[in-house]
Structures are given as structure tokens and as C-alpha cells.
Amino acid sequence: MITNHLLTGFTFGLSISIVSWMVGMIGNGILVKTQYYPKLSHLNFIPSRAMNKAIGIEQFKWIVKNTFFSFFNQSIKVESKNTDLSAIRHQMTLAEISHLIGFLFVAAFALFQSFNISIVFGLTMMIPNVFLNLYPSLLQQENKRRIDLLLKRQKTS
């Protein structure tokens, strides 16, 4: 029974996490028109580079850069030194907030399924959600901090 809940929870979590990307984009499209969105563009859940390293953001970044995930958001690429970093930062904010909305959507669904089916099913749903929604959001936050440093250097020079 537990093995069945582990397998089906993971599979269902994987499926709903991918669907949550669309939910995140729609939610972000609505949220971008509000007065709160500029505040959301400066989210910083884990400011420490050491903590990011400890949870494996560097390995996740390698996976994103060196697998098929690198083809997903082509607007977040620095092609040359003349690339508009503000525009890239804006695209990163859009992706970050979309993934956060998707993460919260799946987390709410997993909580519901924890009560409806079993706690094992709900917790297992969160595994793909963390890797497909939370980690991309944390990676965008780290990248935005790096871009903010570059933008700050450009303003001073």
C-alpha cells in the first residue's frame, strides 16, 4: 500500500508539477498587473551563497544548462556584453514568480491529497514539485542577485 502511494504520488506530482507551469504563467499574467508585483521582483528566500550551495543549486544549474531544460526559456540568455541585463532580469522575475505560483498550487493540491488519500501520497507529490518549481525559482533568485551586481557596476562606471 505504501509503495503504491509512493509511486502514484510521485507520478501524480510529476504530472501536476508540469501542469502547474501553465497555472503559474496564467497567475503571473494576472499578478503582473497589480501594485504588488514590483515588491515581488525583489524576493530573496535564501540570500546566502553557502546555503544555496548546500541545497544543491549549483548542481541544479548544471542540469538546467546541460540538458533539454536549456531550451525552455530562451529569453533568459546572455548572448554578448551588449545584452540588456534589465530585460533579462525582468524575464527572470517573470519565470521566478510563475514557478512560485506553480509551487504553491501543487503544495495546496498535495496538502488536499494528504488528507484525501494519505500523507505519504501528498508528501511524495512534493518531491517533483520541489525540483520542477521551487529549485527553478531559487535559481532565478540567485541569478537575479548576480545581475543586480552587474547592473550596479554598470551604473557606477
Side-chain angles (χ1 to χ4, degrees):
M1 185 71 141
I2 289 180
T3 307
N4 185 34
H5 284 189
L6 285 170
L7 185 59
T8 55
F10 184 82
T11 305
F12 191 67
L14 184 63
S15 301
I16 198 165
S17 291
I18 292 171
V19 168
S20 75
W21 293 345
M22 290 297 150
V23 172
M25 284 190 256
I26 292 167
N28 193 32
I30 294 167
L31 194 61
V32 77
K33 294 174 178 34
T34 67
Q35 64 188 11
Y36 306 108
Y37 202 79
K39 294 177 186 173
L40 290 175
S41 72
H42 297 290
L43 290 176
N44 199 6
F45 295 134
I46 303 175
S48 164
R49 286 192 115 213
M51 182 62 127
N52 274 338
K53 190 173 183 174
I55 64 170
I57 293 294
E58 286 184 17
Q59 289 82 0
F60 184 77
K61 183 190 297 187
W62 185 91
I63 291 169
V64 169
K65 284 173 64 174
N66 296 302
T67 63
F68 65 92
F69 289 111
S70 65
F71 298 110
F72 278 160
N73 199 342
Q74 293 293 310
S75 61
I76 304 178
K77 284 196 177 202
V78 178
E79 300 293 333
S80 67
K81 289 185 177 185
N82 297 331
T83 304
D84 183 11
L85 294 178
S86 298
I88 290 179
R89 189 188 189 288
H90 176 70
Q91 290 298 319
M92 286 180 174
T93 301
L94 293 174
E96 172 195 2
I97 302 300
S98 294
H99 280 292
L100 282 176
I101 292 169
F103 179 78
L104 293 174
F105 172 75
V106 176
F109 209 90
L111 182 65
F112 174 75
Q113 294 295 56
S114 293
F115 291 115
N116 195 29
I117 297 175
S118 80
I119 189 80
V120 172
F121 187 89
L123 288 175
T124 308
M125 281 179 63
M126 288 301 292
I127 295 170
N129 189 28
V130 165
F131 289 109
L132 294 175
N133 280 319
L134 184 61
Y135 268 47
S137 186
L138 294 175
L139 179 60
Q140 296 302 344
Q141 286 180 7
E142 180 180 313
N143 288 337
K144 284 191 331 184
R145 284 192 299 270
R146 292 172 46 216
I147 284 185
D148 286 343
L149 287 173
L150 291 172
L151 288 171
K152 193 175 183 179
R153 284 185 200 156
Q154 279 182 351
K155 285 184 180 179
T156 58
S157 29

